[in-house]
Amino acid sequence: MSNNNSYRTVYAFAREMYPKKKDTYLQYGTAGFRTKATELHHVMYRMGLLAVLRARYKKGVIGVMVTASHNPEADNGVKIIDPRGEMLEEAWESWATKFANVVDEKLEDTINEVIKLFNIDNMNDRVEIVIGKDTRPSSLPLAKAVQDGVLALSGKPIDYGIVTTPQVHYFVVCKNTNRAYGQPTEEGYYRKLINAFLRVRGDKYNKGNYENRLMYDGANGVGAKKVKYLREVLKESLLVEMYNDEIIGSGKLNHLCGADYVKSQQKFPNGVPKEKNTRCCSVDGDADRIVYYYLDDNERFHLLDGDRIATLAASYLKELLQKTGLDLKIGLVQSAYANGASTEYISNKLNISVSCTATGVKHLHRKALTYDIGVYFEANGHGTVVFSNNAKQKLVATARNNSTSADHKEACFKLLDVIDLINETVGDAISDMLLVETILHERGWDVKQWEECYTDLPNKLLKVTVKDRNVVTTTDAERICVTPEGLQDEINTIVSKYKKGRSFVRASGTEDIIRVYAEAATKEDTELLAIEVAQKVYELAGGIGPAPELPN
Ligand code: G16
């Protein structure tokens, strides 16, 4: 690398291989960049460059995941992962946006700006960038563009091929902790999770009403590919029946299936047999979200989403913690999409502290780190549990202390196993599935008993397409709409007509739309409330295409 801060190769590559189209402007959103795959080649190249700068600045390994997660197959995107496994720090998101949008001729200047601003004096360090990609056909060339960006600044790309997003988070943390978190390989990832799962499960696979059989919707994506391997290792301990496993290039990724479809449509996915009273789960296109569901005797659909997983995990961990005799702070973090009934159940029945942040696991994760045991889940099924170093050290010390009672010791060892079964770095569909199965198994519960903990308020999610989604801005963890002026007043008036009504709107950070959330005492009221609010959004925020219509 030259010392005069002149990055000729960077520009030459950009101009020849990944030129930026003149008229595109892209913004780093809820989880990175996301748009049509054809628009992203220059962005990927530039994120390779940015990842190298970030790695040199942080003096650690950075991850780059090429995926558009829950979006349609024709979209793609990129998520940047910081050294501690967290999403890219917000202060650097604006740099990512700047990198994505400057003209090719200004690329070198922008690199120099970052070097100067952050005082990066180790531009010759051969930093490692971990790269993963999902099963989209477009991911292969886009991941190659990331690699070229990394190479253009003399970084070292480590290509993990097709992996889940949470696996990339895991590899990054393993590398940055010198393997203390685990081995930075796929085998290391599976071994850590599965060994812990098998230890906690023991050799009795069915217990009470719990049956060790699960129908699994792989969304025709990487979540299907990875669970095939997992199934072989789990053997009889958990019988995962795989559906929607057409992986590369079938055009079926997330189509009428997968966690986002099931959650937002509140419907049984295509491709999974409609078997009554059977526990089913769906993951999304990069396997960082999971939701559960079942059909009752009347073929009525019942959803157990991220709120249910959060409450199940938090109540279990609280009980286990009590058995250890340790005094540790446990808390639960949700977003505004959490069902009101779940929040009430957590505060009033579980007596666990609960807080609300803006959408995006980066926000929930940060808040969860303020607890010794921080459980966080978005209602869409994205979440995990994080444990403080204080909690881990106390658990290890108590488990090893000869004067600890046998009961306390056993609980400490079990909690340590449960920690190993959880991917703490980010929401992980596979690890979350193993956690849910562990808890249900231990309690001897079937899916109905899990659902009986509390009754969800009927709720509805709608999307409104507008000319410019940035016209909708919000405050108070996205619960209050600031602009367009007057929209919040209109929402308040509409909501006041409905018993137990609640509704909010916000611009999606992953799709070009405004999201509308509504809940109310009855299903009929919820439908009406959602449509009324959506109509106001359409009217005041510049809706395009067909206007939302009230049902007949
Ligand atoms: C990403 C984020 C999630 C967020 C979701 C939807 O998930 O990681 O935290 O809930 O987008 O965000 P929005 O409502 O802004 O579109 P994924 O699974 O798509 O990467």
Side-chain angles (χ1 to χ4, degrees):
M1 178 59 51
S2 73
N3 287 325
N4 62 359
N5 289 356
S6 167
Y7 300 107
R8 294 276 156 233
T9 359
V10 168
Y11 174 48
F13 240 141
R15 202 188 43 213
E16 298 302 323
M17 308 266 295
Y18 305 111
K20 180 186 179 299
K21 290 182 198 154
K22 293 278 174 284
D23 52 349
T24 53
Y25 182 85
L26 291 170
Q27 219 174 322
Y28 199 93
T30 312
F33 293 102
R34 215 170 277 190
T35 186
K36 293 273 161 284
T38 45
E39 301 294 309
L40 280 166
H41 291 81
H42 72 285
V43 176
M44 295 292 172
Y45 172 68
R46 291 158 181 228
M47 288 311 104
L49 301 174
L50 188 79
V52 172
L53 293 174
R54 180 82 182 148
R56 289 192 178 129
Y57 173 61
K58 296 297 281 183
K59 298 193 169 52
V61 176
I62 292 287
V64 180
M65 177 71 189
V66 176
T67 181
S69 189
H70 73 272
N71 292 44
E73 186 159 321
D75 285 2
N76 216 320
V78 56
K79 300 177 175 180
I80 299 185
I81 297 142
D82 258 355
R84 284 165 45 177
E86 288 154 24
M87 303 267 192
L88 178 69
E89 185 188 321
E90 272 168 285
W92 275 61
E93 287 185 0
S94 45
W95 280 106
T97 301
K98 187 160 182 184
F99 263 76
N101 293 296
V102 289
V103 293
D104 294 329
E105 293 75 12
K106 288 271 179 224
L107 208 44
E108 285 178 48
D109 291 348
T110 314
I111 291 171
N112 283 325
E113 255 183 89
V114 171
I115 293 173
K116 196 163 163 225
L117 182 70
F118 293 98
N119 208 5
I120 302 174
D121 56 6
N122 53 339
M123 279 304 289
N124 290 320
D125 281 5
R126 192 112 198 282
V127 284
E128 288 186 357
I129 308 298
V130 164
I131 302 171
K133 56 178 173 289
D134 70 13
T135 55
R136 288 175 163 82
S138 61
S139 292
L140 189 67
L142 291 176
K144 166 78 170 53
V146 175
Q147 286 200 28
D148 284 343
V150 172
L151 290 170
L153 276 186
S154 302
K156 185 176 173 190
I158 315 262
D159 181 10
Y160 276 88
I162 295 176
V163 284
T164 69
T165 296
Q167 285 180 326
V168 176
H169 285 253
Y170 165 87
F171 300 144
V172 167
V173 175
C174 292
K175 281 181 170 282
N176 284 314
T177 56
N178 286 328
R179 297 176 154 72
Y181 192 65
Q183 292 302 314
T185 59
E186 274 205 74
E187 206 204 323
Y189 166 88
Y190 289 118
R191 205 181 313 123
K192 183 174 178 192
L193 258 51
I194 294 170
N195 286 349
F197 176 78
L198 294 176
R199 275 198 303 274
V200 180
R201 175 150 296 215
D203 50 16
K204 198 171 168 208
Y205 301 148
N206 292 307
K207 216 176 188 184
N209 292 328
Y210 176 86
E211 282 177 24
N212 65 337
R213 174 169 171 252
L214 174 68
M215 304 224 278
Y216 178 96
D217 159 23
N220 295 313
V222 63
K225 184 174 161 70
K226 297 303 163 186
V227 164
K228 281 188 176 164
Y229 172 80
L230 191 84
R231 278 192 327 167
E232 284 166 25
V233 191
L234 288 172
K235 296 202 179 92
E236 295 291 307
S237 67
L238 179 63
L239 305 170
V240 183
E241 274 176 28
M242 167 77 75
Y243 300 98
N244 293 327
D245 61 347
E246 291 179 48
I247 301 173
I248 300 178
S250 65
K252 292 183 178 170
L253 176 70
N254 296 325
H255 183 62
L256 306 178
C257 63
D260 196 64
Y261 173 82
V262 171
K263 166 69 186 164
S264 52
Q265 301 298 314
Q266 305 200 8
K267 271 192 190 150
F268 205 81
N270 275 22
V272 181
K274 290 192 163 173
E275 201 179 291
K276 291 174 191 168
N277 300 314
T278 304
R279 206 166 61 251
C280 308
C281 69
S282 288
V283 305
D284 72 339
D286 63 343
D288 60 2
R289 304 191 204 171
I290 187 167
V291 294
Y292 274 74
Y293 47 91
Y294 74 97
L295 291 176
D296 66 17
D297 287 327
N298 303 316
E299 290 212 4
R300 201 166 76 86
F301 174 78
H302 296 251
L303 176 69
L304 292 106
D305 61 7
D307 297 341
R308 297 279 182 178
I309 300 175
T311 49
L312 183 75
S315 62
Y316 173 75
L317 290 168
K318 189 180 172 188
E319 271 169 40
L320 197 49
L321 179 62
Q322 276 161 356
K323 289 184 189 156
T324 66
L326 289 171
D327 183 20
L328 295 169
K329 204 163 73 167
I330 180 165
L332 201 154
V333 190
Q334 303 183 307
S335 77
Y337 290 106
N339 196 283
S342 75
T343 314
E344 200 180 301
Y345 173 74
I346 299 156
S347 318
N348 302 339
K349 289 274 177 345
L350 299 180
N351 290 317
I352 291 177
S353 142
V354 56
S355 38
C356 179
T357 73
T359 299
V361 281
K362 60 190 173 199
H363 303 295
L364 287 93
H365 189 98
R366 196 183 313 124
K367 180 69 193 167
L369 290 174
T370 62
Y371 300 101
D372 284 312
I373 301 178
V375 181
Y376 73 86
F377 270 88
E378 294 182 302
N380 62 21
H382 202 162
T384 188
V385 189
V386 288
F387 299 84
S388 69
N389 284 337
N390 171 48
K392 288 178 189 165
Q393 281 157 8
K394 279 189 176 161
L395 281 165
V396 171
T398 314
R400 286 190 186 149
N401 189 335
N402 286 339
S403 54
T404 305
S405 75
D407 287 353
H408 283 173
K409 231 177 217 212
E410 195 188 313
C412 286
F413 278 122
K414 182 179 272 182
L415 190 44
L416 286 166
D417 276 337
V418 171
I419 294 175
D420 271 350
L421 149 70
I422 291 169
N423 183 350
E424 288 180 76
T425 65
V426 79
D428 181 335
I430 293 176
S431 150
D432 289 339
M433 176 185 87
L434 294 178
L435 178 66
V436 168
E437 295 301 316
T438 296
I439 302 171
L440 295 180
H441 169 262
E442 189 160 328
R443 298 204 158 151
W445 279 2
D446 60 19
V447 67
K448 285 185 187 164
Q449 286 168 293
W450 176 14
E451 193 189 24
E452 275 159 17
C453 292
Y454 64 89
T455 308
D456 263 330
L457 282 170
N459 58 90
K460 180 97 189 158
L461 279 166
L462 288 179
K463 299 178 186 183
V464 182
T465 310
V466 294
K467 220 153 83 199
D468 174 10
R469 66 180 145 148
N470 291 314
V471 300
V472 173
T473 60
T474 58
T475 185
D476 187 22
E478 302 176 322
R479 289 172 290 197
I480 304 286
C481 177
V482 179
T483 61
E485 212 179 307
L487 179 54
Q488 186 59 49
D489 292 339
E490 296 284 358
I491 295 174
N492 293 345
T493 310
I494 298 169
V495 166
S496 65
K497 298 192 298 189
Y498 295 95
K499 196 173 160 208
K500 294 205 170 184
R502 183 169 75 90
S503 179
F504 67 92
V505 302
R506 57 176 280 280
S508 160
T510 59
E511 297 172 60
D512 208 4
I513 45 132
I514 303 300
R515 294 199 196 280
V516 173
Y517 176 84
E519 66 184 34
T522 66
K523 196 164 182 301
E524 295 67 34
D525 276 2
T526 307
E527 299 278 339
L528 289 174
L529 172 57
I531 291 282
E532 276 201 63
V533 172
Q535 286 177 330
K536 274 294 160 207
V537 172
Y538 188 89
E539 192 184 305
L540 298 179
I544 51 174
E549 275 182 29
L550 285 168
N552 295 326

